[in-house]
Amino acid sequence: MPVVAGVDSSTQSTTVVLRDADTGATLGSGRAPHTPTFPPVSEQDPAEWWAATVLAFGRARENAGIAADDIVAVSVAAQCHGLVPLDAEGRVIRPAKLWNDTTASAEIAALTERIGGDAWTDRIGTLPPPSFTIGKLAWLKAREPEHFTRLAGVLLPHDYLTWRLTGGTPGASLRSERTVTDRSDASGTGYYSAPEGRYLTEVLELVDAQKAWADMLPEVLGPSEQAGTVPAATAAELGVRADAVVGAGAGDQHASAVGLGIAPGELAYVLGTSGVVFTTSEFPVFDHSGIVNAVADATGAYLPLICTLNAAKVTDTVARLLGADHGELERLALAAPREADRPLLVAYLDGERTPNRPHSRGLLAGLSSETSREDLALAAFEGVVLGMERGQRRMQETGLALGGRLLVTGGGSGSAAYRQVIADVTGRPVEITDAVDAVAGGAAAQAAAVLRGADIRTLRDEWAPASRVVAEPGGHDYTRIRDTYTRAADWAGLDGAFHD
């Protein structure tokens, strides 16, 4: 039985999902953790990702009960926007800066002033926030010039793992080896235009005019193009068939859209460490406010999305402060009265990406002597969801029709409180699917498409999981709450509100 593998390399861990190449049935999975990071400085050693990938493959094979030779195709999805800086010998120069590292805010602000925010948005579909790779490159030149001088290759996290899968060897000449990326992940760098289908080296020249940028960037492949094959030595290390086909890979949310089978007009609320709301679109969206990131998707179209830095970790934090476990926090929130003047939490605990408030902090408003543990628990869930729903409303203001299903996924999707609050705030039924690892599952679908020589949309539709409604709106009026939240959030994001 031929088997395809999908890899999800996230901030927290690497997950490998094995699926039947013919039917899409999930056969087993394995996971290995990464060292935790703590924004605003968020960095990891890419060698750790590779070690976790090897470990996760072994666990997945064991759980599935299959042999290494059964795995005939692999694709990698990973966290976006990171910077993996390589020298001329393919060695990692310094730890990779991750998507939730916001230390490049000054560099992004300077580049935006030089380029013009609207002009930049009109080229790439997004006003780059500090998380985008272009800011990290400018940061590297300004803060670590000795490392920038050695820079000879610029990869994203999934590019690095794909390079290692296809035989890339640290210590060998980088110029002699092929490096690739895909359109979805490249569109989150700040220097690739998906509408134009090309790198904007003129933007990179604003960072440094002397670098031969065109020679330093990976080739951008289409969604069903082959990146290469797994050589024998690497296959033995991973436990896959030698010469297994390797797909182009994708960004994590982009692969998730494939794994969930999201069609245009449908919405996904992703509740992980971060909070993401996305849909798919056949056409690009250009949001000059910078709220909506109109990146490319993993099928050749587009994936308009908003991403907040603070999601499930907010409820984790409030549970700790209340001395409650997750089950008790949910029970408290669901039992809370919905008073119009109840406390509200602006959940900018570690700064915020959407809106772009890297120096902000959380704000709890509306406390009184009658505030209860139930009120505080509800405020935690509502603070996360109101921030995400604010981004959703901006997506609709750009002209996107979002009347289809609303799916909830990610680690927080199992929470009855999150499901109910999303239904209440949006006024829409909430659905879930049986897709446990949508990102890795979507990457596996891409691997199958490459193996078959098929359009990835065909596999997306064939393998789309069924969904079911798990929460209905409770009929609560959020007009006043939404207005109060917006005013409090705008104040919390003011420069100097919490810092001199």
Side-chain angles (χ1 to χ4, degrees), residues 107-349:
E107 285 75 18
I108 279 288
L111 284 168
T112 301
E113 185 175 353
R114 293 180 68 184
I115 298 169
D118 289 355
W120 207 350
T121 301
D122 288 340
R123 297 296 298 279
I124 68 172
T126 300
L127 180 62
S131 58
F132 272 33
T133 315
I134 182 72
K136 295 174 172 67
L137 286 168
W139 182 95
L140 190 67
K141 181 177 182 181
R143 313 296 177 92
E144 297 180 359
E146 70 283 3
H147 289 151
F148 187 83
T149 298
R150 294 173 56 201
L151 187 67
V154 179
L155 299 183
L156 303 171
H158 108 258
D159 309 344
Y160 177 80
L161 290 172
T162 301
W163 176 62
R164 294 294 302 270
L165 272 169
T166 53
T169 306
S173 172
L174 188 62
R175 289 290 179 87
S176 67
E177 297 183 344
R178 186 191 193 202
T179 59
V180 303
T181 189
D182 88 300
R183 182 172 164 273
S184 74
D185 216 357
S187 66
T189 60
Y191 50 81
Y192 178 80
S193 170
E196 297 179 34
R198 71 177 186 92
Y199 283 118
L200 304 177
T201 52
E202 61 269 30
V203 171
L204 289 164
E205 287 168 1
L206 296 177
V207 175
D208 188 281
Q210 305 306 314
K211 291 282 190 184
W213 292 108
D215 298 330
M216 298 167 60
L217 303 173
E219 179 185 354
V220 181
L221 300 182
S224 298
E225 285 191 75
Q226 181 176 315
T229 58
V230 183
T234 305
E237 183 180 7
L238 277 180
V240 303
R241 180 182 295 181
D243 292 329
V245 171
V246 180
D252 51 3
Q253 303 304 334
H254 317 77
S256 176
V258 174
L260 293 170
I262 297 291
E266 296 180 332
L267 271 175
Y269 269 59
V270 186
L271 295 165
T273 303
S274 61
V276 179
V277 182
F278 68 75
T279 186
T280 59
S281 171
E282 293 298 321
F283 307 99
V285 172
F286 302 92
D287 180 19
H288 291 157
S289 76
I291 300 297
V292 181
N293 295 330
V295 293
D297 76 350
T299 73
Y302 295 88
L303 192 83
L305 63 83
I306 67 98
C307 178
T308 67
L309 281 181
N310 301 277
K313 63 181 174 181
V314 174
T315 40
D316 290 345
T317 299
V318 173
R320 174 175 55 80
L321 294 174
L322 291 177
D325 60 22
H326 289 91
E328 183 181 4
L329 190 75
E330 287 195 45
R331 290 190 294 273
L332 289 169
L334 292 171
R338 303 295 183 98
E339 302 294 343
D341 59 351
R342 63 185 178 271
L344 284 176
L345 176 66
V346 178
Y348 298 168
L349 303 192

Side-chain angles (χ1 to χ4, degrees), residues 60-81:
R61 282 197 321 277
E62 181 179 354
N63 292 334
I66 64 170
D69 279 352
D70 293 333
I71 303 174
V72 296
V74 184
S75 282
V76 179
Q79 54 183 310
C80 301
H81 315 311

